[in-house]
Amino acid sequence: MSLEWRGAAVEPGSGVPSATTWQDVDVPGRPVKFAGDDAVAYRTEFADPREADDEHAVLVLEGVFAHARVWLNGAELAEHDAYFDPLRVSLPVEDENELVVECRAPEDRFGGIYDTDRVPQNASVPGIWWGATIETHPDPYVESLSVAPRVGNGEPTVAVEATVVTDQPLDDRMTLSIRPEGDVRGGGMMNRAAVETDPGRVTVTHDVEVRDGSLWWPHDLGDQPRYALRAKLDDSERTTVTGLRSVDYDEDGLLVNGERVAARGVNLTDATEADVERAVRANANLVRAHAHVLSPEVYEACDEQGVLVWQDLPLTGPGEFDVERGQNLAERLLRARRNRPSLAAVSVHDDPTPDLGEGLGTGAVDRLRYRWRAWRASYDRGPVDSVADVVSEVPTFPVVGPAGIGPDAATIYPGWTFGEAGDVDWLCDRFDLGDVVAEFGAGALAADDPADETDFDAERHAARVGSGVDESQDYQADVLGTVAERLRLRGTNVLAAYALRDVGDAGMGVLARDGSEKTAFDRLAAAYQPVQGVLSDPTPGESDVVVIHDRPSPATVTVEWDVDGEREQEELKVGAYGRVDVTTISLSAGDAVTIAVATDDGVAHNEYRI
């Protein structure tokens, strides 16, 4: 049922919000006219939507940011406090109805990136961001359906939790069926589960086996088959889609379906569906949802295109937080996204302490100061571990932060906040970092005179680079390429550049706000090629030519390197996830170096200006 909405900025109170003037607004959406307001009310009127066989009317809101209350005909029906958790409200409708939803800015630590200055105000408008519908149902009906794939020994299964609502005592059986979508191997299966309850709400759990099922893989390792799971009870049914996969993390790194994945990623800030395809073009097989939860549409794009999601809880910045609230949100987050085969990892607390490199330069004294700051840094990880303990279905990297606090995933910015790009090796060696890197990168201009510098440190940029779009983007490209290649040479299991796309006219993205490419995009894409030739040290002097082979099977490759027109070539064998030193070459300032690696899948090129 489509609705016409009006909105107004309001003062939050205990009763139904009122306003002198209501303006037409698009719902779902983030009305720019309310950017910066702390509370916005949305109002609509509708007639009884039920038809002859319907007994229930249900309001379904998705992406209700951040805290909300709902009134129907002057009576308060519900409160809500997690935008990623769909809000379902049973509506005691009359012939004519007035529905009001009041959305308020975050009232606790869990606003995540949308409660910071790292995104513009028009991205954080209190509102109904993703969906607003009124459903009608017979009695009884299937209210919600949560499913999770289980892949291990034996045939894959799908764990099902189906919530049923009924006005009458119920003794019946629910039909659970699963079938492949599209051209996918594996036949459909059907099970039946008992539903016995008094009037009210009950959750039915059942495991559905998938015989001869096809597994879901990241895009660089295989296909992305998916299965539709349907729950039917009398005249009511609900369907959701999932993929069959397992995700683990051990000393070998990230494992999908028991196979190692060399995870190469980018951070997303305020993500759109188009960003997923952009990440794939950058040769990323993973995106990190930086201190926010991706919308269902973005998750759907990740499922379709085989991109893993490293999902943060919306908690960022120094400060204590309510552990019980964090545990509740983590459980709800997993329930809301557990059907997504792309969901690969969860983090709890992002940037819990300040960046150690703030205000430092590139000299030996600056290294000493960095070490002193790391030695003095402290963080009580007990609360965050308590939250992470409730997550059992995917790996967790609870603490994302700098050296000195023992992070599970490191944020390192050599060449931007501290030192030079090549200092990444010193940072990782000195502070035992590098297995999982959540952030690295540098900022760059996307326009000559940026009017909006959200999430961009203009003062640091001026000290590092100076001015000028070309110089700025060249510097960013050099930093990202150098750090990405060094981390891959070190065998980093999971790495994610910060960030994919700017939110202003300048920023940390390898893409401008409109999606156009900065110079760093191609440089990162080259560094992220699964099979690539790199220089171990692209500075004047001697450097090894190294082949990185992040594929699960051995291969024979042909490597060609060209230094200022002097070209040589060699054929060699490289093992699964192998690193091979091909040769050592001498480099001088100003040299142009090109490396090409030919495999059965094509040719990867990499270029350097020494």
Side-chain angles (χ1 to χ4, degrees):
M1 176 181 182
S2 61
L3 301 169
E4 294 183 356
W5 294 82
R6 289 173 291 166
V10 298
E11 291 292 332
S14 58
V16 182
S18 61
T20 303
T21 303
W22 294 85
Q23 304 177 65
D24 292 339
V25 293
D26 291 329
V27 173
R30 309 181 201 184
V32 175
K33 64 187 71 176
F34 301 129
D37 289 316
D38 290 332
V40 181
Y42 299 85
R43 180 175 177 270
T44 188
E45 297 174 347
F46 62 95
D48 187 342
R50 296 172 298 176
E51 297 181 355
D53 296 332
D54 296 325
E55 297 188 38
H56 298 272
V58 181
L59 173 68
V60 182
L61 302 177
E62 295 192 80
V64 185
F65 185 81
H67 296 257
R69 293 182 294 170
V70 178
W71 290 265
L72 182 70
N73 301 325
E76 185 173 347
L77 299 183
E79 294 188 5
H80 197 60
D81 59 4
Y83 66 95
F84 51 80
D85 190 9
L87 172 60
R88 294 181 173 89
V89 184
S90 180
L91 300 177
V93 292
E94 301 174 2
D95 290 341
E96 298 295 331
N97 304 274
E98 180 188 67
L99 176 68
V100 178
V101 181
E102 179 199 74
C103 301
R104 303 188 303 281
E107 299 176 345
D108 57 20
R109 287 294 316 282
F110 293 95
I113 197 170
Y114 294 119
D115 197 24
T116 72
D117 59 3
R118 301 186 77 163
V119 294
Q121 288 186 331
N122 59 19
S124 305
V125 175
I128 305 164
W129 292 357
W130 301 336
T133 60
I134 294 178
E135 300 177 347
T136 59
H137 300 281
D139 188 73
Y141 73 96
V142 182
E143 179 188 54
S144 62
L145 189 59
S146 174
V147 305
R150 299 282 186 263
V151 174
N153 296 326
E155 296 284 7
T157 62
V158 176
V160 180
E161 294 181 4
T163 300
V164 174
V165 174
T166 179
D167 286 343
Q168 304 295 328
L170 187 62
D171 185 1
D172 205 340
R173 297 185 73 80
M174 175 186 294
T175 300
L176 299 171
S177 59
I178 192 165
R179 58 176 177 77
E181 286 206 318
D183 185 19
V184 176
R185 180 172 57 85
M189 297 288 294
M190 182 179 294
N191 287 201
R192 292 176 68 83
V195 185
E196 184 176 353
T197 184
D198 293 327
R201 179 179 281 101
V202 65
T203 297
V204 178
T205 61
H206 198 81
D207 289 344
V208 178
E209 185 179 273
V210 186
R211 294 181 183 171
D212 197 27
S214 298
L215 300 183
W216 183 98
W217 295 94
H219 66 81
D220 53 346
L221 290 182
D223 297 326
Q224 295 76 49
R226 291 191 292 166
Y227 292 80
L229 190 293
R230 184 182 71 161
K232 188 175 189 304
L233 179 65
D234 295 341
D235 294 328
S236 173
E237 66 178 60
R238 193 172 290 276
T239 300
T240 191
V241 177
T242 191
L244 304 175
R245 65 91 183 94
S246 66
V247 188
D248 298 286
Y249 185 84
D250 63 16
E251 64 275 6
D252 292 327
L254 194 66
L255 306 175
V256 175
N257 303 324
E259 297 291 336
R260 179 182 171 187
V261 176
R264 310 172 306 277
V266 290
N267 280 253
L268 303 181
T269 47
D270 189 31
T272 67
E273 296 167 74
D275 287 332
V276 179
E277 186 274 332
R278 293 164 177 156
V280 172
R281 287 197 291 110
N283 290 316
N285 57 12
L286 174 143
V287 294
R288 177 185 169 216
H290 185 107
H292 73 292
V293 181
L294 301 178
S295 71
E297 289 75 19
V298 176
Y299 260 101
E300 179 71 13
C302 290
D303 290 347
E304 289 181 348
Q305 299 187 49
V307 176
L308 300 170
V309 176
W310 174 352
Q311 177 62 69
D312 282 10
L313 209 63
L315 174 63
T316 187
E320 297 179 353
F321 61 90
D322 185 324
V323 173
E324 186 174 347
R325 166 88 164 131
Q327 291 172 327
N328 174 264
L329 290 178
E331 290 173 342
R332 292 161 69 182
L333 172 59
L334 264 293
R335 178 177 173 79
R337 298 291 186 265
R338 65 202 293 255
N339 68 304
R340 299 295 183 179
S342 55
L343 179 61
V346 169
S347 289
V348 177
H349 198 173
D350 168 68
D351 290 336
T353 60
D355 181 5
L356 301 181
E358 187 67 36
L360 297 185
T362 61
V365 173
D366 293 290
R367 283 195 178 189
L368 291 174
R369 293 174 64 193
Y370 193 97
R371 291 174 60 182
W372 171 252
R373 292 178 181 182
W375 181 75
R376 295 190 62 193
S378 64
Y379 176 67
D380 177 10
R381 61 175 299 136
V384 77
D385 285 336
S386 296
V387 175
D389 285 344
V390 308
V391 179
S392 60
E393 297 186 6
V394 295
T396 61
F397 306 123
V399 180
V400 177
I405 63 171
D408 304 285
T411 58
I412 53 176
Y413 285 95
W416 181 242
T417 67
F418 165 74
E420 304 290 352
D423 289 329
V424 61
D425 294 306
W426 177 83
L427 282 168
C428 291
D429 290 337
R430 181 65 184 81
F431 300 103
D432 193 24
L433 306 174
D435 287 342
V436 180
V437 174
E439 298 173 36
F440 66 93
L445 303 174
D448 284 312
D449 297 306
D452 182 355
E453 295 183 345
T454 302
D455 199 24
F456 180 69
D457 191 330
E459 183 177 344
R460 176 179 291 134
H461 178 269
R464 284 278 178 178
V465 185
S467 61
V469 172
D470 290 343
E471 296 87 344
S472 175
Q473 294 193 11
D474 286 345
Y475 183 81
Q476 181 192 39
D478 180 66
V479 170
L480 264 79
T482 298
V483 176
E485 289 178 357
R486 294 289 183 91
L487 290 174
R488 292 191 69 193
L489 284 171
R490 297 178 64 87
T492 298
N493 295 324
V494 181
L495 66 157
Y498 185 85
L500 178 66
R501 185 167 54 85
D502 290 344
V503 294
D505 299 327
M508 303 293 286
V510 296
L511 299 172
R513 176 165 45 183
D514 63 3
S516 58
E517 296 178 6
K518 297 182 184 177
T519 305
F521 183 85
D522 285 342
R523 184 68 181 91
L524 185 66
Y528 271 6
Q529 283 278 5
V531 181
Q532 183 59 288
V534 305
L535 293 177
S536 63
D537 185 10
T539 60
E542 291 194 338
S543 175
D544 293 331
V545 176
V546 185
V547 170
I548 296 173
H549 181 261
D550 281 337
R551 293 291 195 189
S553 300
T556 299
V557 302
T558 301
V559 187
E560 181 179 277
W561 58 99
D562 182 310
V563 181
D564 285 339
E566 296 293 328
R567 185 177 303 174
E568 296 185 63
Q569 180 177 291
E570 184 173 332
E571 184 177 271
L572 54 88
K573 293 183 178 180
V574 58
Y577 301 103
R579 306 288 187 270
V580 176
D581 292 346
V582 181
T583 189
T584 301
I585 58 178
S586 296
L587 302 173
S588 301
D591 282 351
V593 180
T594 300
I595 304 174
V597 181
T599 68
D600 291 340
D601 296 327
V603 181
H605 291 88
N606 208 355
E607 297 180 356
Y608 299 88
R609 174 67 69 174
I610 307 304

